[in-house]
Amino acid sequence: MLLLGLGAAWWAWNANRQPVLTEEDVLVLTDFVNTTGDPVFDSSLKQAVEVKLRESPFLNVYPDAKVRETLELMKRSPEERISQTVGREICQRRGLKAMVTGQIAPLGDRYVIDLEALECESGATLAVHQVEVDSKEDVLGAVGEATTQMRKQLGESLASIERYDTPVEEATTTSLDALKAYSLGQEQVTDEAAEPFFERALELDPNFALAHARLGTLYRNFGEWAKAEEYAKRAYDLRDRVSERERFYITSHYYDSLGNLEKVIETLRLNAQVYPRDWVAHHNLALNLLILGQFNEALSAAQEALRLAPDESFPHHKVMWAY
């Protein structure tokens, strides 16, 4: 059972304010502060928040690869945990708007979960939500609900939230241990390092669609085509258990594993329409259009990817190819 705390009162006060973010603003996500003593919460809750934020067409989460790149520029390890202090420095170095921080703490035999969005420049609170739960089994759902409430506070429309609000247990897994293994896989820099974590996630939850999808991509990168198709098919069969954004990822990779470029392009066109600031969708659309020789549309898609991600090398290459 969830009990609303500070967040409910704060939301009532904040409801009449103007949206605090725009569609152009970017968020950095910090690691959860875990004072429970239970290591299962260390990375799993951040992953849950990230899935819920990324399913929003309104909000933009700074990519993990860019976070690691910025850490290296700061002379820090790319594997370093992102504390609130480090997150704010990343924000300021990259000229980003805000960061989202989280904390879970024990309260007797219960748990208190806090989410807060802070403006990077001033450190001012933009949104905050707190929930209390009765048991460990309730934590994941509470984090998902708290993130949804924060999306409202940050300015996403109710219509958008109603359309793109998959319960986090359905979008990921009901197993905190499986989610932790998956999140550790996501944090790895190389495919080889990530593979055993995704395998472990599937041992703990064989119906974890995202873990199947990531493994399919890894095996494709390894050149193991039969395994890649096998995992892509498993993910596709479970595609109703993910958020809308991840469903596009799973569907496009499934049709790609079959060599059905027309269906890949159809999926990517819709992906780019629903998530217009997803440069990867525009880039992949350009790539597949180029393969089919549809150069004019490919150029438009590549130019949009380049506009969205001018410091990425891949869109430059696709624009060049199209010309």
Side-chain angles (χ1 to χ4, degrees), residues 223-239:
E224 297 185 35
W225 309 112
K227 277 191 173 182
E229 184 176 343
E230 175 188 348
Y231 280 100
K233 175 64 165 59
R234 291 179 185 175
Y236 184 76
D237 290 341
L238 295 165
R239 66 191 182 280

Side-chain angles (χ1 to χ4, degrees), residues 186-206:
Q186 289 286 85
E187 292 171 5
Q188 303 307 306
V189 177
T190 66
D191 291 346
E192 292 81 0
E195 181 185 5
F197 291 104
F198 294 142
E199 292 280 12
R200 177 59 179 159
L202 288 176
E203 288 176 12
L204 295 164
D205 181 1

Side-chain angles (χ1 to χ4, degrees), residues 101-158:
T101 69
Q103 178 172 328
I104 182 168
L107 182 64
D109 57 354
R110 310 177 74 224
Y111 296 94
V112 179
I113 300 152
D114 291 283
L115 281 185
E116 187 174 15
L118 302 171
E119 187 177 49
C120 292
E121 190 62 34
S122 67
T125 297
L126 300 175
V128 62
H129 196 80
Q130 181 187 84
V131 292
E132 296 179 14
V133 296
D134 294 327
S135 68
K136 181 177 178 178
E137 290 70 30
D138 295 326
V139 166
L140 194 56
V143 168
E145 175 59 25
T147 309
T148 297
Q149 294 302 321
M150 179 158 285
R151 286 166 57 182
K152 294 178 185 177
Q153 295 171 16
L154 292 174
E156 185 173 355
S157 70
L158 291 178

Side-chain angles (χ1 to χ4, degrees), residues 187-260:
E187 292 171 5
Q188 303 307 306
V189 177
T190 66
D191 291 346
E192 292 81 0
E195 181 185 5
F197 291 104
F198 294 142
E199 292 280 12
R200 177 59 179 159
L202 288 176
E203 288 176 12
L204 295 164
D205 181 1
N207 292 319
F208 193 170
L210 287 181
H212 284 294
R214 301 303 177 193
L215 271 175
T217 300
L218 293 194
Y219 285 124
R220 181 178 177 83
N221 294 342
F222 294 155
E224 297 185 35
W225 309 112
K227 277 191 173 182
E229 184 176 343
E230 175 188 348
Y231 280 100
K233 175 64 165 59
R234 291 179 185 175
Y236 184 76
D237 290 341
L238 295 165
R239 66 191 182 280
D240 291 337
R241 298 172 58 88
V242 296
S243 67
E244 187 76 3
R245 191 179 202 124
E246 302 295 351
R247 190 174 297 115
F248 286 130
Y249 174 86
I250 287 171
T251 303
S252 62
H253 281 72
Y254 169 67
Y255 285 121
D256 189 49
S257 73
L258 299 179
N260 189 337

